[in-house]
Amino acid sequence: MPFINFKASANIRKIIFGILGILLLIAALYIFCKPIYYRIYIGDRIKGNISVTIDGETFTPSSEDISGCRKSNIKGDRTQIAVKGGDYGIYHFGVNIPPIDKTINMGCYHYNWWTVTNFDIDIIIDTAGNTVTFEGDCSYVDDDGKTNKFQINDKQMLWSDPEIWFSQA
């Protein structure tokens, strides 16, 4: 008969129940009290996906083409970016597009330190028409912990300094 250390197995059970209790508390906060959940949220508070099309051809920005972000990676033909956030105020980041020697500036204004913003944006560049079109959507969390979503559809001149904001007052 193998030796069983009952004292060690009791400690393991306490650890497992402790972890399960913490996970249950986090789940309860997320479901029943979202304002508190977003205040203790430890993930990136600004994150999203970017795709770029230049005259009908897909251009996927690399990590070197992204500035002002904590991390970025390529997933298919989209570039995922993340900014830690966690402060009240303005966050700026940019996407350098070497084929046209232009940087697309992006910004996000957080009205509360705990706001979480997610976006999915297509940047469509027409060099013949000298325009850049931004299409997609963005979501943010309001004071009550409710997620609000809005559409982005903006056309700007490429020769200017094009920029897009992921904020909704």
Side-chain angles (χ1 to χ4, degrees), residues 2-19:
F3 176 71
I4 299 173
N5 185 344
F6 290 107
K7 189 173 187 178
S9 65
N11 288 338
I12 291 172
R13 269 190 262 138
K14 287 179 185 178
I15 291 170
I16 291 172
F17 284 129
I19 291 171

Side-chain angles (χ1 to χ4, degrees), residues 19 56 66 109 123-124 133 138 140 157:
I19 291 171
I66 308 294
Y109 190 88
I123 301 170
I124 304 159
T133 304
C138 181
Y140 67 97
M157 298 307 295

Side-chain angles (χ1 to χ4, degrees), residues 120-121 134-139 149-154 164-165 168:
D120 192 8
I121 189 83
F134 301 99
E135 294 178 350
D137 57 58
C138 181
S139 65
K149 197 172 200 176
F150 63 94
Q151 296 296 311
I152 297 171
N153 192 349
D154 188 22
I164 187 73
W165 283 84
Q168 182 86 3

Side-chain angles (χ1 to χ4, degrees), residues 28-95:
L29 287 173
Y30 178 75
I31 294 169
F32 300 112
C33 196
K34 286 190 179 188
I36 291 175
Y37 169 78
Y38 285 111
R39 285 166 177 80
I40 62 172
Y41 183 81
I42 58 173
D44 295 312
R45 293 185 177 273
I46 303 169
K47 57 187 168 192
N49 299 303
I50 300 169
S51 74
V52 179
T53 306
I54 305 170
D55 297 328
E57 300 285 325
T58 300
F59 169 75
T60 305
S62 67
S63 293
E64 293 81 34
D65 296 323
I66 308 294
S67 61
C69 294
R70 187 174 76 81
K71 64 182 175 182
S72 64
N73 63 349
I74 297 170
K75 193 168 195 173
D77 63 348
R78 301 185 83 68
T79 302
Q80 297 176 326
I81 66 166
V83 177
K84 189 66 176 160
D87 289 322
Y88 167 86
I90 297 173
Y91 293 88
H92 286 287
F93 42 99
V95 180

Side-chain angles (χ1 to χ4, degrees), residues 157-169:
M157 298 307 295
L158 191 56
W159 54 263
S160 67
D161 291 327
E163 68 178 358
I164 187 73
W165 283 84
F166 304 116
S167 300
Q168 182 86 3

Side-chain angles (χ1 to χ4, degrees), residues 92-150:
H92 286 287
F93 42 99
V95 180
N96 185 31
I97 304 176
I100 61 166
D101 194 30
K102 200 63 148 165
T103 298
I104 305 295
N105 297 305
M106 300 183 175
C108 182
Y109 190 88
H110 275 186
Y111 295 93
N112 294 299
W113 64 267
W114 50 266
T115 299
V116 176
T117 303
N118 293 298
F119 62 89
D120 192 8
I121 189 83
D122 297 322
I123 301 170
I124 304 159
I125 298 170
D126 177 9
T127 57
N130 203 24
T131 60
V132 59
T133 304
F134 301 99
E135 294 178 350
D137 57 58
C138 181
S139 65
Y140 67 97
V141 178
D142 65 15
D143 290 343
D144 297 326
K146 181 182 173 207
T147 300
N148 296 287
K149 197 172 200 176
F150 63 94

